[in-house]
Amino acid sequence: STSSDAFIITKNGVGDRLVIDGAGNSTFAGDVTIGGKTYPKISLTDNQGVARTFSVGTNNETFTVRNETASSDAFTISNANNTTFAGNVKIGSSTTGTPALNADDLVIDKGASESGITLISTTAASIRFGDAANTSIGSVEYNHNSNYMRFSTNNAERMRIESTGVVKFPNT
């Protein structure tokens, strides 16, 4: 039921499609489509009267959420389902501590519970380190077929821990 001071749009007089009540709350029945612009904007105003504006757009099948205040894309999802974030990524809502300034691009903070990263593969899983000249100049890799872990720097294996626990240093 709706109050008598509500603005109501119906379809053929049957069923409420849009209801704006006396307090300004809106209820939609069905899909809402915003069109006509590359980045259609939605502005949300808080109880202090400050507008928070963001826009959602598509460009060549890329979904983009744009930070209108900074005039930049906050994140994009490409048609290949690759996601690009314009800033740091945080997983978890805790504030256990402040990460080091140069190590805050990806932060997992679950507070008092354990945190972790799992890499699953049938052959090998690795963490790669690189720069513009070589995108994989260093690495930590676990080989599942032979069950060893190896550490590489400057494109060469420097240490290997075998499945038996034996540590090997090539070229020594």
Side-chain angles (χ1 to χ4, degrees):
S1 68
T2 59
S3 66
S4 60
D5 61 348
F7 173 79
I8 303 171
I9 296 177
T10 62
K11 180 178 181 183
N12 299 327
V14 179
D16 296 347
R17 299 296 185 221
L18 166 63
V19 176
I20 303 175
D21 67 19
N25 299 311
S26 302
T27 304
F28 296 90
D31 295 333
V32 176
T33 302
I34 301 171
K37 289 186 159 189
T38 303
Y39 291 103
K41 297 176 183 168
I42 298 172
S43 184
L44 307 171
T45 304
D46 65 20
N47 61 3
Q48 303 297 315
V50 178
R52 310 290 183 202
T53 303
F54 68 96
S55 60
V56 178
T58 59
N59 182 10
N60 298 325
E61 297 183 24
T62 297
F63 173 80
T64 304
V65 173
R66 187 168 176 80
N67 178 341
E68 288 297 330
T69 305
S71 296
S72 64
D73 295 342
F75 74 88
T76 60
I77 302 172
S78 74
N79 59 358
N81 290 326
N82 295 318
T83 304
T84 303
F85 293 87
N88 300 346
V89 176
K90 181 177 180 185
I91 300 170
S93 59
S94 294
T95 54
T96 305
T98 302
L101 182 62
N102 292 324
D104 61 352
D105 298 317
L106 174 61
V107 175
I108 300 172
D109 188 350
K110 293 177 61 182
S113 61
E114 291 186 24
S115 295
I117 297 173
T118 302
L119 305 174
I120 299 175
S121 170
T122 59
T123 55
S126 64
I127 299 173
R128 304 290 172 146
F129 305 90
D131 55 28
N134 187 326
T135 58
S136 187
I137 194 81
S139 67
V140 176
E141 178 182 309
Y142 189 85
N143 181 293
H144 298 290
N145 294 328
S146 299
N147 290 318
Y148 64 80
M149 181 173 283
R150 71 175 167 191
F151 298 82
S152 298
T153 62
N154 200 24
N155 271 345
E157 182 177 330
R158 305 298 181 182
M159 182 176 77
R160 179 181 293 211
I161 304 171
E162 295 190 341
S163 62
T164 60
V166 171
V167 178
K168 291 186 174 182
F169 297 93
N171 303 320
T172 56

